[in-house]
Amino acid sequence: MVGKRMRHMSRYRDIAIALIRHGFGIVVEEIGFAQFLSLPQKIFFNTKEKDGKTIGERIRLVLQELGPTFVKLGQIASTRPDLLPEEIIRELEKLQDQVPPFSFEEVRNIVQQELGADLTQIFRQFADVPLAAASIGQVHQAILHSGEKVAVKIQRPNIANIIETDLEILQDLATLAERRLEWAAQYQICDMVDEFSRSLRAELDYTIEARNAEKISNQFKNDPGIHIPKVFWEYSTKKVLTMEYVEGIKFNELERLKQNGYNLKKLADRLAKAVFQQIFVEGFFHGDPHPGNVLVLPGEVIAFIDFGMVGRLNPEIKYHFSSLVIALMNQSTDGVIKSICQMGLVPDDVNIMQLRDDVEQLREKYYRVSLSKISLGEAVNDLFRVAFRHSIRIPRDLTLLGKTLLTVEGMVEKLDPDFRILDIAEPFGRRLLKERLRPKNIAEMVWKHVSDYGEMLIDFPKNMKEFASLIKQGKLHFEIDIPELDHFLKKLDQISNRLSFSIVLLSFSIIMVGIIIGSSMGRQSTLLWKIPAIEIGFGVAALMFVWLLYSIFKSGRF
């Protein structure tokens, strides 16, 4: 790691300066990052500029300053309300890819290198000005020799190496932070960076995006109301993606839609049904259906574009999510808690009572509220925020689903303010319930559990043998943690001391009584070795008795 730090010293310094400039100097110092600063910068480190910005705003500014890798990571992080506070999520959602395009000469070189032919041999026309430029790549319009219009996405030169360098540095900083900062360890920063890095690396491979597009296209092959652009595989690689060019009106251009005579209510209905079809039926959905990625074509046909971010719901997650939605609609606190615990990674020290209180407060928010006024996306994201407060990790695809629902609901509401999203969701919910209750699915689930228990039974003798071996070797340790155990043990110790003291007092009194009776019967003096034993003993016993009474009264438990 030291060697990597030396190779990337300049980039480490850039990150440190950006953090300091936006008010995170204390973080730089606490994780030992100040060693990468020169003396004048260390002096600057001690300055504190109070500009009134929130933590979320300052984080967003840091990410924007540090470039493509950090902007993309911020965009990915904005889909995780179970990992980050709401105020930071709101700022991260504002991150935009504001980068200048790279030169046409570089475009030509990359395309020719990736496709193994001259640009003119592949395309009849190729626009030298890009349609759009983003942090990872840019899109050019072109025409194939077959006459088909295409959109060609080309990856930025050397962007993969830049991103890998930044991800290595981020992982190093996350490790340093977890070692030195308690809050970083609590939020499991290293795991967060790992998860975000996997998502970002997937976006560097355009063949993954192409497969995503084809998979969603197959979902709607019999639905003429939904259009997914065609992928031209012969002109696509990891760094170049060629797809059918789709020209339409963006979903947020309401005036243009009205001017062209589109039926807004029909568009709202079609969009909602398309998204619910992807989520509840197919379990594979477009993860970023913002207005720029959804176009309207003639005939109220809806076209989805840009499939770099998708969500996947396997049957088990779909089952738990449907249970969650049902519990929400039924306002069942126990059902909601059960679903959250089954879906997420629950820490061992979670406070179930506090979790129940938070869910109860959420239930009261939706109590006796008309279904037409309930936002399904908002309700799901409210639950994810509860999960965040209790450090419950929710699968990334579920949090992406929550954001997708919110985005689509917002778009639908602008098209048709009277539209009831739950009217569209209800048939899909019923279908999901029927699917859960189908004998075949029940049998598969039962068989899965039987198989799991069967494996446990098969492994039981082996596990017991290992357990016995640990006992023989003295390597088995038990750790028991009982709340207020120390206080209980102290009280128990006090009680035992008082009992012992009482027994000693009783024994002493019996001895004194024996001496007195013996002296009386023998008519002998009570002096032992010329010492008034009975008188002294009586005094000692009296003092002990008074002290015992005093301690009992002092304890307040007479």
Side-chain angles (χ1 to χ4, degrees), residues 347-383:
D348 294 333
D349 58 348
V350 67
N351 187 330
I352 293 294
M353 294 301 295
Q354 186 60 53
L355 176 60
R356 176 178 290 277
D357 288 344
D358 287 347
V359 173
E360 279 288 339
Q361 289 180 16
L362 185 60
R363 186 179 72 85
E364 290 173 5
K365 175 180 177 180
Y366 296 104
Y367 184 63
R368 289 184 179 175
V369 177
S370 170
L371 289 179
S372 62
K373 298 179 181 178
I374 290 178
S375 163
L376 184 58
E378 183 181 352
V380 170
N381 279 278
D382 280 345
L383 278 172

Side-chain angles (χ1 to χ4, degrees), residues 72-123:
K72 292 300 295 184
L73 285 175
Q75 291 172 342
I76 294 169
S78 70
T79 67
R80 299 307 306 267
D82 62 315
L83 297 180
L84 298 172
E86 183 179 0
E87 58 272 16
I88 293 178
I89 292 287
R90 283 199 300 268
E91 286 298 323
L92 295 181
E93 288 175 341
K94 298 176 184 178
L95 285 170
Q96 299 294 328
D97 293 330
Q98 297 175 342
V99 292
F102 52 96
S103 70
F104 180 68
E105 190 59 35
E106 289 175 303
V107 169
R108 179 191 298 275
N109 291 336
I110 293 171
V111 172
Q112 292 181 165
Q113 183 178 356
E114 287 295 311
L115 301 183
D118 189 79
L119 199 66
T120 56
Q121 292 178 318
I122 305 168
F123 303 101

Side-chain angles (χ1 to χ4, degrees), residues 481-551:
D481 185 16
I482 302 175
E484 301 183 354
L485 180 61
D486 290 339
H487 180 69
F488 173 73
L489 291 175
K490 286 178 183 177
K491 287 293 181 184
L492 190 62
D493 194 37
Q494 290 177 358
I495 293 170
S496 61
N497 287 340
R498 287 176 185 171
L499 282 173
S500 302
F501 188 83
S502 302
I503 292 170
V504 170
L505 178 59
L506 178 62
S507 303
F508 188 75
S509 302
I510 291 171
I511 292 171
M512 293 306 301
V513 169
I515 293 174
I516 293 171
I517 293 172
S519 300
S520 300
M521 290 178 66
R523 298 182 181 182
Q524 295 178 357
S525 169
T526 58
L527 293 174
L528 295 177
W529 301 291
K530 299 182 180 181
I531 296 174
I534 293 177
E535 288 79 358
I536 292 174
F538 178 78
V540 170
L543 287 173
M544 292 174 70
F545 180 69
V546 169
W547 183 87
L548 183 61
L549 283 178
Y550 170 75
S551 11

Side-chain angles (χ1 to χ4, degrees), residues 130-148:
L131 294 169
S135 54
I136 291 181
Q138 63 189 39
V139 181
H140 289 254
Q141 185 179 351
I143 300 177
L144 297 172
H145 286 290
S146 61
E148 294 171 288

Side-chain angles (χ1 to χ4, degrees), residues 313-352:
L313 301 179
N314 61 42
E316 187 174 359
I317 292 181
K318 276 174 62 178
Y319 180 89
H320 293 320
F321 179 70
S322 63
S323 299
L324 176 63
V325 173
I326 292 166
L328 267 176
M329 296 301 102
N330 292 336
Q331 299 183 345
S332 168
T333 301
D334 290 334
V336 168
I337 292 174
K338 183 179 178 181
S339 298
I340 290 178
C341 292
Q342 287 176 334
M343 290 192 298
L345 185 61
V346 183
D348 294 333
D349 58 348
V350 67
N351 187 330
I352 293 294

